[in-house]
Amino acid sequence: MSESRAPVRRTDDTSKSRTPVREAAPVRPVAHSARVWNYWCGGRDNYEVDERVGDEVAALFPVIRDVARANRAFLGRAVRFLAGECGVRQFLDLGTGLPTGDNTHEVAQRVAPDARIVYVDNDPTVLMYARALLTGTDAGATDYLDADVREPDALVERAAETLDLGRPVAVLMLGVLNFVQDTEEARSIVRRVMAALPSGSHLALSHPTADLALGGEGQISAMAYWNEHARPPIRARDRAATASLFEGLELLEPGLVSCSAWRPLSQAPAVVPQFGAVAVKP
């Protein structure tokens, strides 16, 4: 990005009646969650500032890259479980983030080619890459909504243009409610989304924690640095607060655990300080 330059004064007569105007300083990019998360997952859709902040956070909290990858792997396992064992054919992915490998529609439509997926995010960077999310099988459907999770009623109404809300829907909220600072507001978002869906709908949710049992004590200083240098601000929640997000839903086995330990593919997965769980609406 070029430097700001001082204005050039004209030496002809017409310049005498004009007030020189200073050029606006260039806008410096600020690290953003979608791009930094992409960097931690090994992606390339990020700026130098995202790498710099990502590296600083990783220096304070070295397992953050493991958390990012474990969260992504949890997405794949949860979607395969929902499309396979649970027979879900509709997915509402809130807080999509930048597309990487094995996006929700790719995983779901491998299991069920007729699956319908709606992605939702309000990040301008994600919107730039939305076209990459709008591919899928001819039998199914994919769509992308530029909407805010803090306006759940409006986004559900728009999602109904692609999804049949009279049939079960799997809602994905992976690493998104940690950007909602107030816990009661976060609970309200979940309640309002799930209230619009029928019995048999599911919620897959992940959330960072500072719980000592999961090795999350390092999250505190890392999140403080993040909140000073990146956007949007983030917070951790303990087990009780995270469990409260599932109010009115039935947690499926193995319950609320480290996302890496939710139906793992290996016998002894490395535990990361990120809760993960899947629940069903009775």
Side-chain angles (χ1 to χ4, degrees):
M1 192 171 292
S2 61
E3 294 289 329
S4 176
R5 294 174 297 172
V8 178
R9 291 179 180 273
R10 294 181 56 180
T11 57
D12 58 17
D13 291 340
T14 59
S15 68
K16 297 177 182 179
S17 62
R18 297 179 181 179
T19 301
V21 178
R22 183 175 296 276
E23 293 181 6
V27 177
R28 301 290 183 182
V30 175
H32 198 282
S33 59
R35 299 192 306 265
V36 176
W37 201 258
N38 175 268
Y39 173 58
W40 285 331
C41 287
R44 298 181 178 180
D45 298 319
N46 44 72
Y47 299 136
E48 181 181 351
V49 66
D50 303 307
E51 296 183 11
R52 184 171 67 250
V53 170
D55 288 341
E56 289 290 342
V57 171
L60 293 167
F61 190 51
V63 301
I64 189 60
R65 289 186 174 89
D66 297 329
V67 172
R69 291 165 183 151
N71 192 70
R72 190 70 188 181
F74 169 65
L75 167 68
R77 297 196 307 277
V79 171
R80 280 192 295 272
F81 168 74
L82 291 164
E85 293 187 38
C86 300
V88 177
R89 294 295 179 268
Q90 302 188 107
F91 294 82
L92 180 58
D93 189 342
L94 305 181
T96 302
L98 289 169
T100 59
D102 278 350
N103 299 294
T104 298
H105 73 283
E106 294 169 327
V107 177
Q109 290 177 349
R110 273 191 219 116
V111 178
D114 60 338
R116 305 177 73 82
I117 295 89
V118 172
Y119 292 103
V120 178
D121 211 310
N122 68 337
D123 181 346
T125 306
V126 176
L127 181 60
M128 289 170 55
Y129 290 88
R131 290 183 183 275
L133 296 174
L134 301 183
T135 60
T137 62
D138 293 335
T142 59
D143 197 6
Y144 175 88
L145 301 181
D146 181 17
D148 195 327
V149 72
R150 292 179 177 84
E151 299 175 354
D153 302 326
L155 73 83
V156 168
E157 182 179 357
R158 292 178 61 193
E161 297 174 10
T162 300
L163 306 178
D164 178 0
L165 302 190
R167 298 171 53 220
V169 176
V171 178
L172 309 178
M173 295 188 182
L174 273 61
V176 61
L177 292 180
N178 39 290
F179 297 110
V180 179
Q181 296 297 303
D182 182 73
T183 298
E184 181 50 45
E185 182 184 6
R187 283 196 291 260
S188 175
I189 290 169
V190 176
R191 284 197 301 267
R192 289 160 68 184
V193 170
M194 299 307 295
L197 307 177
S199 174
S201 293
H202 291 73
L203 171 67
L205 183 148
S206 68
H207 199 292
T209 182
D211 278 12
L212 297 178
L214 297 185
E217 60 272 20
Q219 295 258 40
I220 303 302
S221 58
M223 286 184 174
Y225 179 88
W226 174 274
N227 290 342
E228 290 179 9
H229 298 90
R231 291 292 180 271
I234 193 171
R235 63 160 296 173
R237 288 187 169 92
D238 62 18
R239 176 177 292 275
T242 305
S244 74
L245 301 173
F246 293 91
E247 182 180 6
L249 305 175
E250 296 180 359
L251 283 171
L252 303 179
E253 290 293 335
L256 184 64
V257 296
S258 169
C259 67
S260 60
W262 190 90
R263 298 177 179 252
L265 299 180
S266 62
Q267 292 298 316
V271 171
V272 297
Q274 178 103 340
F275 284 123
V278 176
V280 63
K281 180 176 180 178

